[in-house]
Amino acid sequence: MKSQEIRETFLDFFSDKSHKIVKSSSLLPKDDPTILFTNAGMNQFKNTFLGLEKRSYKRAASVQKCMRVSGKHNDLEQVGKTNKHHTFFEMLGNFSFGDYFKKEAVEYAWELIVEVFKLKKENIYATVYEEDDEAYTIWNKTIGLPPERIFRFGKKDNYWAMGETGPCGPCSEIHYDIGAEIEEGEPYRLIESGSDRFLELWNLVFMQFHQDEKGQQHPLPSPSIDTGMGLERLAVALQGQKSNFDTDLLKPLIQEVCGFARREYPSDDEGDVAVRIIADHVRAVSFLVADGIMPANEGRGYVLRKLIRRAFRQGNSIGIEEPFLYKLVGVVCDIMKDAYPELLPSANYISKVCQSEEKRFSLTLSSGLRTFNQYIKEAKKAGKKVLSGAKAFKLYDTYGFPLDLSRELAEEQNMDVEEKGFHKELEKQRERARLSWEGEEKQKRKKIYEKLKGLSVQYVGYEQEKIPEARIIALLKKDQIIQELKEGDVGEIFLEQTPFYAEAGGQTGDSGILKNSHFAAVVESAFYPTPDLISHKVKVISGKVRVEDKVEAAVDVPNRRKISNNHTATHLLHASLRQILGDHVKQAGSLVESSRLRFDFTHFAALSSSELEQIELLVNEKIREGIDVKTKVTTLEEGLEEGAVAIFEEKYGEKVRMVTIGDFSKELCGGVHVHSTSQIGLFKITAESSIAAGMRRIEALTGEEALKHTQETEELMIDVQTVLSSPRTGLLTQIEKLKESVKAKERETKALRQKIAKHELEEKEEKVKKIKGISVLVQTVKDLNNTELRELADSLKQKIGSGVVILGSVSGKKVFLVIAVTKDLTDRLKADELVQEIAPIIGGGGGGRPDFAQAGGTQPEKLDQVLKQSRKIIEKMIP
């Protein structure tokens, strides 16, 4: 059975069991700051399990994209070494939100794997929590599984908890024996040890308790079910394979990699591990980029960069020297196209991101080798035979050197690596990342709002901008639930109904006023602390208010109009970008305020002035056409079928709002918009820039702000015309003349400075000293920049014929050094080694070639000292 058929069969089975089929969420978890990536099928239902979000269904099933490369669930180091671990994988899951429980969950699982998938009953084993007699009885009495194939395990293996507090409960795992030829032994021991012989197919989690802050567990009023089954492992069983990497999900990638490396698979060597790592990582990379993550030096982007570099290094280890991962992206898209058709239009873009990062890392690797050699040289000079853990970690962190590469290179130099120190530095970095990860603070804040569970707010802002009487249902101040806010207080107000739009989808929250006869407060913004709550951040300007009081809630209408202009303009901009640049363009983030808009999108090159002009003209054309902006509420599936664009950074509910602008734009969006594009008035792009590799940003203005910007630009042009005494048509010519004049003066000044410096040096030829038979010129030069210093050193080197030239110059608070060694002497004295010795004296560093090196420092007062000491250093270095 092919993998796509497995997905469809699973979903069809649970659809027939009255489960709502829910589309996979993005790998970027929305509204869950506790995790870097979506790592389980239940992530998108977390708020439902916690009672913070209500859904119209109590049963669901999904095929979820997952990543496990961080935190508690981190399989990175196991990938390739086993047959069953991955970074990216797909999780098949069925869920019950207070509906059915253990008996039905077990019965559904058994029916599917035995009667539908036709797996052999005699090869199926079940594990249960050691104290869960109920689950044991269901497997034994209801299903008929013999006692010798039901094993009890402790909390470590068969108990699940969402966190330190919250839902928890025992779980039951289904294991499948794929052959004694893999490993012989007693099944209990083999399952306990994680043997490749037994596939852990399905984990059934029985959420039946709530754990409080004291660690006490209390029965949940509505127990729930959360299950997860790895598609890759199920494919092994159904396709008669022994390894995930032999299934139709990964085998084509294995074959392609082996083609690049000109090797057979399996070859039963370390190269097989490398091939498997590459196949796994390129899948993860493709899906991460498709979901809008870009290579970076921190957070999710750092994980992506690490995966690309790791795979590239594995390619090097099996003889692939050139960038190659980008060529595998098409294979991934072809394998996954039926389940994830959105990959296909992004394939070229993903490939370019990959290729760019591979090229970049190839250069970084070369730099890393130079740094490694320098570290080894320093260690040997100090009489050490061990490369410090701190330096091994720097190679890893800065240049992507895995520990095993440093170890291998060190062995070639008859040296070891201090691995304990390396792991200590690695742990420090993880701790820094944990502290800087804003998710922890967000999670603490979220717990405050969990106390308001059960409350819900009705948003009526699409139809109304003012509510005469809105009942207050809760108040917060300094993270505490209170009963009263008074004059001068800053806090949060929750209303039963509100016209205030809460910040979402890049659009800022509404501002406005809450008031009644004895109270008035300014609403600074509105936001969603949980999916069903809207909080109004307020400052009380007079009187006091209590829970259950009624207030008039009025949005700042002029401010909302400006926000509406900018939000509809982002839709027009998005459609224009896709029309002019191509369908690979995807929104990667946005900011919609009253004064401006910002739009981030995927594209690999800077936009030309011609492209920007075309985009701006097209947006303004649609504004002048006065197209009606229509909205309708529909299901996510129907919206996508109608061709609406979904934004990957957003989390969509059962019902979605579709915003349509004629036949030009159709997006799923919950924001506020104009009724006609003509209300926008004018659209003006003010900036276009890069924010990451393959990610661009456009900043723009609309309406009055755009007009104001245009007027200011016009005033500036008039001032420039006046200053240059030139008509507008002649401004460029006049500016070019001025530039040429300035360049000519700069050339004259440069030549004069060099002439003076050269003359001063020629008058001091006694400065050339002989050190062990080598001519050495050491001199301070005034008023030359770094480039001029280099040119002068080169000139003097040629003049002395054979020798060493060291020149230093101060510019502001910086000091520059250049060292030139004639080529006949580089076997006795190397400029790059000399600069490493003297640069630290001026508080800096440097590098270069054996015949030429330079350095910069921040201690100009030590220039004379370094020049004096340089002669002594040279004398020591010359053999």
Side-chain angles (χ1 to χ4, degrees):
M1 185 181 283
K2 292 188 179 297
S3 55
Q4 179 58 13
E5 190 180 350
I6 297 172
R7 294 185 190 99
E8 291 170 355
T9 302
F10 177 86
L11 294 176
D12 288 346
F13 175 84
F14 281 103
S15 178
D16 290 343
K17 304 289 184 188
S18 303
H19 286 64
K20 170 73 174 176
I21 304 305
V22 181
K23 183 180 171 66
S24 170
S25 64
S26 167
L27 287 171
L28 284 79
K30 183 72 175 172
D31 297 329
D32 189 350
T34 63
I35 50 177
L36 268 182
F37 300 105
T38 299
N39 59 24
M42 64 79 61
N43 288 162
Q44 67 170 311
F45 304 111
K46 184 175 178 180
N47 283 329
T48 308
F49 283 122
L50 289 170
L52 299 173
E53 180 181 359
K54 296 181 180 67
R55 297 190 181 231
S56 63
Y57 49 84
K58 289 195 169 185
R59 300 178 174 204
S62 68
V63 178
Q64 175 65 50
K65 301 177 291 186
C66 296
M67 280 283 293
R68 290 193 172 175
V69 288
S70 60
K72 183 172 70 172
H73 300 293
N74 187 347
D75 292 335
L76 183 61
E77 296 304 323
Q78 294 301 312
V79 172
K81 297 174 184 176
T82 73
N83 291 331
K84 57 192 180 186
H85 285 95
H86 297 289
T87 53
F88 170 87
F89 66 100
E90 294 173 82
M91 185 179 284
L92 313 176
N94 60 291
F95 311 91
S96 164
F97 313 117
D99 185 17
Y100 61 83
F101 198 46
K102 288 184 189 179
K103 182 174 180 292
E104 295 89 338
V106 172
E107 286 176 336
Y108 289 158
W110 183 260
E111 181 184 348
L112 179 61
I113 62 177
V114 172
E115 296 180 23
V116 179
F117 284 136
K118 307 294 184 186
L119 291 181
K120 295 177 181 178
K121 292 182 183 180
E122 61 272 19
N123 289 358
I124 297 172
Y125 292 74
T127 68
V128 297
Y129 176 50
E130 57 192 0
E131 297 176 13
D132 193 355
D133 294 333
E134 182 186 1
Y136 186 97
T137 301
I138 293 169
W139 278 114
N140 183 224
K141 302 298 182 184
T142 307
I143 300 300
L145 204 62
E148 61 269 21
R149 296 218 305 276
I150 309 172
F151 303 136
R152 293 179 185 263
F153 287 107
K155 274 197 170 184
K156 180 176 173 289
D157 296 300
N158 278 76
Y159 204 88
W160 178 91
M162 190 176 285
E164 291 181 9
T165 62
C168 60
C171 59
S172 178
E173 295 175 349
I174 299 172
H175 295 259
Y176 192 70
D177 185 353
I178 57 173
E181 66 273 16
I182 294 175
E183 184 178 0
E184 292 188 354
E186 200 271 315
Y188 180 94
R189 185 188 61 80
L190 293 176
I191 289 173
E192 185 180 37
S193 65
S195 168
D196 279 345
R197 172 179 162 183
F198 286 88
L199 289 175
E200 181 194 321
L201 273 188
W202 209 340
N203 189 12
L204 315 177
V205 176
F206 311 130
M207 291 188 201
Q208 63 185 105
F209 302 107
H210 180 277
Q211 184 163 296
D212 62 25
E213 287 81 356
K214 296 178 181 178
Q216 298 294 314
Q217 293 184 358
H218 311 279
L220 286 171
S222 301
S224 297
I225 292 292
D226 159 29
T227 84
M229 174 163 53
L231 172 64
E232 292 78 7
R233 296 181 184 186
L234 181 57
V236 168
L238 294 177
Q239 294 174 13
Q241 302 297 339
K242 303 298 182 187
S243 164
N244 293 7
F245 295 93
D246 294 329
T247 67
D248 64 341
L249 289 162
L250 286 143
K251 193 171 183 178
L253 284 165
I254 296 281
Q255 292 170 336
E256 197 75 13
V257 173
C258 288
F260 293 154
R262 304 190 180 191
R263 60 175 282 127
E264 295 294 320
Y265 180 88
S267 296
D268 298 321
D269 59 10
E270 281 299 308
D272 285 353
V273 175
V275 170
R276 290 193 289 267
I277 288 172
I278 292 166
D280 170 89
H281 284 15
V282 76
R283 291 204 320 160
V285 166
S286 298
F287 276 92
L288 286 172
V289 176
D291 272 2
I293 298 163
M294 296 301 298
N297 289 326
E298 58 184 16
R300 297 180 177 108
Y302 180 72
V303 173
L304 172 59
R305 174 162 283 164
K306 183 178 178 180
L307 289 172
I308 294 173
R309 292 181 170 191
R310 204 165 183 265
F312 184 80
R313 270 286 306 136
Q314 294 297 328
N316 286 174
S317 73
I318 54 174
I320 308 174
E321 299 297 332
E322 297 296 319
F324 69 98
L325 291 172
Y326 74 97
K327 298 177 184 176
L328 295 171
V329 171
V331 182
V332 174
C333 294
D334 188 56
I335 295 169
M336 297 292 201
K337 65 178 183 291
D338 291 334
Y340 306 99
E342 65 271 17
L343 277 178
L344 288 175
S346 300
N348 189 48
Y349 172 74
I350 299 167
S351 181
K352 284 182 177 178
V353 171
C354 238
Q355 186 179 25
S356 173
E357 190 65 19
E358 286 183 272
K359 286 180 177 177
R360 180 175 177 173
F361 181 51
S362 183
L363 295 172
T364 303
L365 211 54
S366 300
S367 302
L369 284 169
R370 286 197 295 273
T371 303
F372 174 85
N373 291 331
Q374 181 63 33
Y375 287 165
I376 292 294
K377 185 176 179 180
E378 290 170 0
K380 285 184 174 179
K381 191 174 180 180
K384 297 176 182 176
K385 290 194 173 183
V386 177
L387 179 67
S388 75
K391 288 186 173 176
F393 177 75
K394 187 171 183 182
L395 288 165
Y396 164 81
D397 195 43
T398 306
Y399 301 105
F401 269 42
L403 181 60
D404 59 349
L405 175 60
S406 291
R407 192 190 300 119
E408 183 183 315
L409 292 171
E411 283 173 3
E412 292 173 7
Q413 301 283 339
N414 296 315
M415 292 186 71
D416 293 320
V417 176
E418 185 207 358
E419 295 190 28
K420 187 176 179 181
F422 173 87
H423 290 297
K424 185 178 178 182
E425 292 294 324
L426 184 62
E427 190 54 42
K428 282 184 189 175
Q429 186 201 57
R430 286 173 176 161
E431 180 64 15
R432 286 194 297 271
R434 186 189 68 78
L435 291 173
S436 66
W437 177 240
E438 61 181 10
E440 291 215 351
E441 184 57 35
K442 285 184 180 177
Q443 185 64 7
K444 287 177 187 173
R445 294 271 306 152
K446 193 170 184 178
K447 286 183 179 178
I448 298 158
Y449 299 108
E450 287 180 10
K451 295 175 182 177
L452 301 176
K453 186 165 56 177
L455 298 179
S456 64
V457 177
Q458 182 186 8
Y459 173 65
V460 296
Y462 295 135
E463 302 84 25
Q464 299 171 252
E465 290 165 339
K466 182 196 291 186
I467 296 177
E469 290 189 328
R471 185 170 67 91
I472 295 175
I473 56 175
L475 297 171
L476 278 184
K477 179 183 173 184
K478 294 181 180 178
D479 299 337
Q480 297 295 318
I481 297 173
I482 58 171
Q483 293 300 308
E484 181 181 88
L485 282 173
K486 59 183 184 299
E487 186 173 332
D489 283 349
V490 174
E492 297 174 43
I493 294 180
F494 299 85
L495 304 173
E496 192 172 40
Q497 279 191 327
T498 181
F500 286 82
Y501 180 85
E503 182 177 341
Q507 180 182 319
T508 55
D510 277 329
S511 57
I513 295 286
L514 297 179
K515 65 179 182 178
N516 59 27
S517 59
H518 55 270
F519 160 81
V522 174
V523 178
E524 295 174 347
S525 184
F527 67 98
Y528 283 104
T530 68
D532 290 332
L533 279 180
I534 293 177
S535 171
H536 305 78
K537 292 173 69 174
V538 302
K539 181 172 183 180
V540 182
I541 54 176
S542 67
K544 60 185 179 180
V545 72
R546 294 183 61 81
V547 176
E548 295 299 329
D549 283 357
K550 292 184 178 179
V551 293
E552 178 186 289
V555 169
D556 181 341
V557 175
N559 193 64
R560 178 185 272 201
R561 294 285 181 271
K562 291 176 182 178
I563 293 173
S564 300
N565 286 350
N566 285 333
H567 203 149
T568 305
T570 64
H571 286 223
L572 293 175
L573 173 59
H574 191 188
S576 299
L577 286 166
R578 288 171 67 87
Q579 185 167 313
I580 290 165
L581 302 179
D583 287 343
H584 65 278
V585 169
K586 289 182 180 177
Q587 181 174 334
S590 67
L591 174 67
V592 178
E593 297 178 331
S594 59
S595 60
R596 66 188 179 117
L597 68 89
R598 189 178 74 207
F599 190 83
D600 300 339
F601 59 98
T602 55
H603 186 61
F604 223 78
L607 273 63
S608 67
S609 55
S610 172
E611 287 171 330
L612 286 170
E613 187 177 329
Q614 288 180 64
I615 292 161
E616 195 173 82
L617 284 171
L618 184 53
V619 173
N620 280 300
E621 178 186 315
K622 298 304 172 185
I623 290 171
R624 289 194 303 275
E625 286 178 13
I627 306 168
D628 287 343
V629 179
K630 296 179 179 178
T631 63
K632 81 169 184 176
V633 176
T634 182
T635 64
L636 176 61
E637 292 78 11
E638 288 172 356
L640 294 174
E641 283 174 11
E642 287 188 39
V645 175
I647 311 304
F648 52 64
E649 64 174 357
E650 288 303 313
K651 176 184 176 182
Y652 297 101
E654 297 171 65
K655 296 292 183 180
V656 296
R657 189 162 171 266
M658 187 165 67
V659 179
T660 304
I661 307 173
D663 58 1
F664 186 67
S665 168
K666 189 177 287 184
E667 289 191 26
L668 303 181
C669 176
V672 295
H673 290 272
V674 298
H675 299 296
S676 167
T677 58
S678 61
Q679 292 173 246
I680 299 170
L682 179 65
F683 173 83
K684 181 65 185 172
I685 294 173
T686 57
E688 190 273 340
S689 60
S690 169
I691 55 171
M695 198 84 76
R696 309 298 300 179
R697 169 173 290 172
I698 281 179
E699 295 173 64
L701 304 171
T702 65
E704 290 179 11
E705 293 294 333
L707 179 60
K708 183 180 175 183
H709 175 83
T710 305
Q711 288 171 335
E712 287 172 351
T713 304
E714 178 64 22
E715 288 172 10
L716 179 62
M717 287 294 290
I718 293 170
D719 289 343
V720 173
Q721 286 175 245
T722 303
V723 170
L724 296 181
S725 301
S726 170
R728 187 167 301 192
T729 53
L731 280 177
L732 284 179
T733 304
Q734 186 68 5
I735 290 169
E736 285 299 326
K737 285 180 182 178
L738 284 172
K739 282 173 67 179
E740 282 303 315
S741 176
V742 170
K743 283 180 183 177
K745 297 296 181 187
E746 285 176 346
R747 285 193 294 270
E748 289 176 20
T749 304
K750 178 182 174 181
L752 185 59
R753 282 200 305 269
Q754 288 179 322
K755 189 174 181 181
I756 291 168
K758 197 172 181 182
H759 178 69
E760 287 177 349
L761 288 172
E762 286 171 351
E763 285 185 341
K764 299 176 181 177
E765 288 194 356
E766 71 275 6
K767 294 287 183 182
V768 178
K769 303 287 185 183
K770 290 282 186 178
I771 299 176
K772 292 187 177 180
I774 293 176
S775 297
V776 178
L777 173 61
V778 179
Q779 186 62 47
T780 302
V781 184
K782 295 179 182 178
D783 303 323
L784 292 189
N785 61 35
N786 204 19
T787 303
E788 293 164 357
L789 205 62
R790 288 198 303 267
E791 292 173 355
L792 180 59
D794 193 52
S795 172
L796 291 170
K797 183 177 73 169
Q798 292 178 31
K799 186 174 181 181
I800 63 175
S802 176
V804 180
V805 176
I806 301 177
L807 300 179
S809 183
V810 173
S811 177
K813 294 182 179 180
K814 293 183 179 180
V815 57
F816 301 106
L817 284 176
V818 294
I819 301 173
V821 178
T822 54
K823 290 194 175 178
D824 62 310
L825 297 174
T826 53
D827 58 336
R828 297 180 64 191
L829 183 69
K830 292 180 171 54
D832 54 343
E833 293 179 0
L834 178 56
V835 82
Q836 294 288 340
E837 294 289 331
I838 65 176
I841 301 171
I842 55 170
R849 308 184 304 269
D851 64 326
F852 186 86
Q854 59 186 354
T858 57
Q859 299 176 22
E861 70 277 4
K862 292 188 177 180
L863 177 58
D864 289 340
Q865 178 188 339
V866 78
L867 293 178
K868 286 177 185 175
Q869 289 187 358
S870 62
R871 292 189 180 93
K872 294 178 182 177
I873 294 169
I874 289 172
E875 191 169 3
K876 287 181 182 177
M877 292 181 69
I878 297 173

